[in-house]
PDB file of all heavy atoms in Angstrom:
ATOM      1  N   ASP S 794      -0.315 -10.187  13.033  1.00  0.00           N
ATOM      2  CA  ASP S 794       0.812  -9.276  12.939  1.00  0.00           C
ATOM      3  C   ASP S 794       1.950 -10.003  12.207  1.00  0.00           C
ATOM      4  O   ASP S 794       2.610 -10.876  12.810  1.00  0.00           O
ATOM      5  CB  ASP S 794       1.251  -8.849  14.353  1.00  0.00           C
ATOM      6  CG  ASP S 794       2.356  -7.797  14.314  1.00  0.00           C
ATOM      7  OD1 ASP S 794       2.797  -7.460  13.188  1.00  0.00           O
ATOM      8  OD2 ASP S 794       2.733  -7.324  15.367  1.00  0.00           O
ATOM      9  N   VAL S 795       2.158  -9.663  10.946  1.00  0.00           N
ATOM     10  CA  VAL S 795       3.132 -10.388  10.160  1.00  0.00           C
ATOM     11  C   VAL S 795       4.542 -10.283  10.720  1.00  0.00           C
ATOM     12  O   VAL S 795       5.378 -11.171  10.469  1.00  0.00           O
ATOM     13  CB  VAL S 795       3.158  -9.949   8.676  1.00  0.00           C
ATOM     14  CG1 VAL S 795       1.814 -10.089   8.007  1.00  0.00           C
ATOM     15  CG2 VAL S 795       3.648  -8.520   8.516  1.00  0.00           C
ATOM     16  N   LYS S 796       4.781  -9.227  11.507  1.00  0.00           N
ATOM     17  CA  LYS S 796       6.128  -9.031  12.023  1.00  0.00           C
ATOM     18  C   LYS S 796       6.532 -10.154  12.980  1.00  0.00           C
ATOM     19  O   LYS S 796       7.690 -10.429  13.160  1.00  0.00           O
ATOM     20  CB  LYS S 796       6.265  -7.693  12.705  1.00  0.00           C
ATOM     21  CG  LYS S 796       6.255  -6.545  11.672  1.00  0.00           C
ATOM     22  CD  LYS S 796       6.238  -5.161  12.300  1.00  0.00           C
ATOM     23  CE  LYS S 796       6.099  -4.124  11.198  1.00  0.00           C
ATOM     24  NZ  LYS S 796       5.653  -2.837  11.709  1.00  0.00           N
ATOM     25  N   GLY S 797       5.550 -10.845  13.544  1.00  0.00           N
ATOM     26  CA  GLY S 797       5.881 -11.955  14.478  1.00  0.00           C
ATOM     27  C   GLY S 797       5.725 -13.304  13.830  1.00  0.00           C
ATOM     28  O   GLY S 797       5.738 -14.341  14.533  1.00  0.00           O
ATOM     29  N   LEU S 798       5.550 -13.360  12.497  1.00  0.00           N
ATOM     30  CA  LEU S 798       5.247 -14.624  11.840  1.00  0.00           C
ATOM     31  C   LEU S 798       6.367 -14.995  10.850  1.00  0.00           C
ATOM     32  O   LEU S 798       6.923 -14.113  10.188  1.00  0.00           O
ATOM     33  CB  LEU S 798       3.933 -14.541  11.091  1.00  0.00           C
ATOM     34  CG  LEU S 798       2.690 -14.326  11.947  1.00  0.00           C
ATOM     35  CD1 LEU S 798       1.496 -13.917  11.107  1.00  0.00           C
ATOM     36  CD2 LEU S 798       2.366 -15.604  12.741  1.00  0.00           C
ATOM     37  N   SER S 799       6.685 -16.291  10.788  1.00  0.00           N
ATOM     38  CA  SER S 799       7.688 -16.747   9.807  1.00  0.00           C
ATOM     39  C   SER S 799       7.034 -16.860   8.443  1.00  0.00           C
ATOM     40  O   SER S 799       5.799 -16.875   8.306  1.00  0.00           O
ATOM     41  CB  SER S 799       8.271 -18.075  10.227  1.00  0.00           C
ATOM     42  OG  SER S 799       7.312 -19.096   9.993  1.00  0.00           O
ATOM     43  N   ARG S 800       7.879 -16.961   7.434  1.00  0.00           N
ATOM     44  CA  ARG S 800       7.400 -17.151   6.076  1.00  0.00           C
ATOM     45  C   ARG S 800       6.526 -18.398   5.939  1.00  0.00           C
ATOM     46  O   ARG S 800       5.495 -18.376   5.287  1.00  0.00           O
ATOM     47  CB  ARG S 800       8.625 -17.236   5.150  1.00  0.00           C
ATOM     48  CG  ARG S 800       8.352 -17.344   3.706  1.00  0.00           C
ATOM     49  CD  ARG S 800       9.694 -17.496   2.996  1.00  0.00           C
ATOM     50  NE  ARG S 800       9.537 -18.118   1.680  1.00  0.00           N
ATOM     51  CZ  ARG S 800       9.405 -17.409   0.558  1.00  0.00           C
ATOM     52  NH1 ARG S 800       9.421 -16.096   0.604  1.00  0.00           N
ATOM     53  NH2 ARG S 800       9.226 -18.024  -0.568  1.00  0.00           N
ATOM     54  N   ARG S 801       6.959 -19.466   6.613  1.00  0.00           N
ATOM     55  CA  ARG S 801       6.175 -20.720   6.492  1.00  0.00           C
ATOM     56  C   ARG S 801       4.856 -20.591   7.201  1.00  0.00           C
ATOM     57  O   ARG S 801       3.815 -21.118   6.764  1.00  0.00           O
ATOM     58  CB  ARG S 801       6.980 -21.879   7.056  1.00  0.00           C
ATOM     59  CG  ARG S 801       8.152 -22.237   6.138  1.00  0.00           C
ATOM     60  CD  ARG S 801       9.194 -23.094   6.813  1.00  0.00           C
ATOM     61  NE  ARG S 801       8.613 -24.335   7.308  1.00  0.00           N
ATOM     62  CZ  ARG S 801       9.269 -25.200   8.104  1.00  0.00           C
ATOM     63  NH1 ARG S 801      10.478 -24.909   8.490  1.00  0.00           N
ATOM     64  NH2 ARG S 801       8.698 -26.323   8.471  1.00  0.00           N
ATOM     65  N   GLU S 802       4.827 -19.865   8.338  1.00  0.00           N
ATOM     66  CA  GLU S 802       3.535 -19.627   9.006  1.00  0.00           C
ATOM     67  C   GLU S 802       2.611 -18.806   8.158  1.00  0.00           C
ATOM     68  O   GLU S 802       1.405 -19.075   8.037  1.00  0.00           O
ATOM     69  CB  GLU S 802       3.792 -18.961  10.362  1.00  0.00           C
ATOM     70  CG  GLU S 802       4.403 -19.904  11.394  1.00  0.00           C
ATOM     71  CD  GLU S 802       4.946 -19.226  12.632  1.00  0.00           C
ATOM     72  OE1 GLU S 802       5.228 -17.991  12.586  1.00  0.00           O
ATOM     73  OE2 GLU S 802       5.162 -19.917  13.660  1.00  0.00           O
ATOM     74  N   LEU S 803       3.170 -17.784   7.515  1.00  0.00           N
ATOM     75  CA  LEU S 803       2.356 -16.936   6.618  1.00  0.00           C
ATOM     76  C   LEU S 803       1.779 -17.750   5.446  1.00  0.00           C
ATOM     77  O   LEU S 803       0.640 -17.560   5.045  1.00  0.00           O
ATOM     78  CB  LEU S 803       3.209 -15.782   6.067  1.00  0.00           C
ATOM     79  CG  LEU S 803       3.381 -14.600   7.001  1.00  0.00           C
ATOM     80  CD1 LEU S 803       4.437 -13.638   6.444  1.00  0.00           C
ATOM     81  CD2 LEU S 803       2.072 -13.856   7.209  1.00  0.00           C
ATOM     82  N   ARG S 804       2.586 -18.680   4.955  1.00  0.00           N
ATOM     83  CA  ARG S 804       2.108 -19.520   3.853  1.00  0.00           C
ATOM     84  C   ARG S 804       0.962 -20.394   4.318  1.00  0.00           C
ATOM     85  O   ARG S 804      -0.052 -20.528   3.627  1.00  0.00           O
ATOM     86  CB  ARG S 804       3.262 -20.370   3.295  1.00  0.00           C
ATOM     87  CG  ARG S 804       2.895 -21.030   1.979  1.00  0.00           C
ATOM     88  CD  ARG S 804       4.040 -21.861   1.445  1.00  0.00           C
ATOM     89  NE  ARG S 804       4.275 -22.975   2.322  1.00  0.00           N
ATOM     90  CZ  ARG S 804       5.474 -23.594   2.475  1.00  0.00           C
ATOM     91  NH1 ARG S 804       6.527 -23.168   1.830  1.00  0.00           N
ATOM     92  NH2 ARG S 804       5.609 -24.611   3.299  1.00  0.00           N
ATOM     93  N   ARG S 805       1.093 -20.953   5.527  1.00  0.00           N
ATOM     94  CA  ARG S 805       0.018 -21.839   6.014  1.00  0.00           C
ATOM     95  C   ARG S 805      -1.242 -21.030   6.302  1.00  0.00           C
ATOM     96  O   ARG S 805      -2.351 -21.473   6.028  1.00  0.00           O
ATOM     97  CB  ARG S 805       0.493 -22.581   7.293  1.00  0.00           C
ATOM     98  CG  ARG S 805       1.534 -23.652   6.965  1.00  0.00           C
ATOM     99  CD  ARG S 805       1.677 -24.617   8.129  1.00  0.00           C
ATOM    100  NE  ARG S 805       2.376 -24.042   9.279  1.00  0.00           N
ATOM    101  CZ  ARG S 805       3.705 -24.087   9.483  1.00  0.00           C
ATOM    102  NH1 ARG S 805       4.471 -24.714   8.583  1.00  0.00           N
ATOM    103  NH2 ARG S 805       4.246 -23.559  10.534  1.00  0.00           N
TER     104      ARG S 805
END
Side-chain angles (χ1 to χ4, degrees):
D794 186 356
V795 301
K796 288 173 185 162
L798 295 166
S799 73
R800 182 184 159 93
R801 288 165 59 190
E802 288 167 340
L803 279 170
R804 192 180 66 208
R805 289 196 287 269

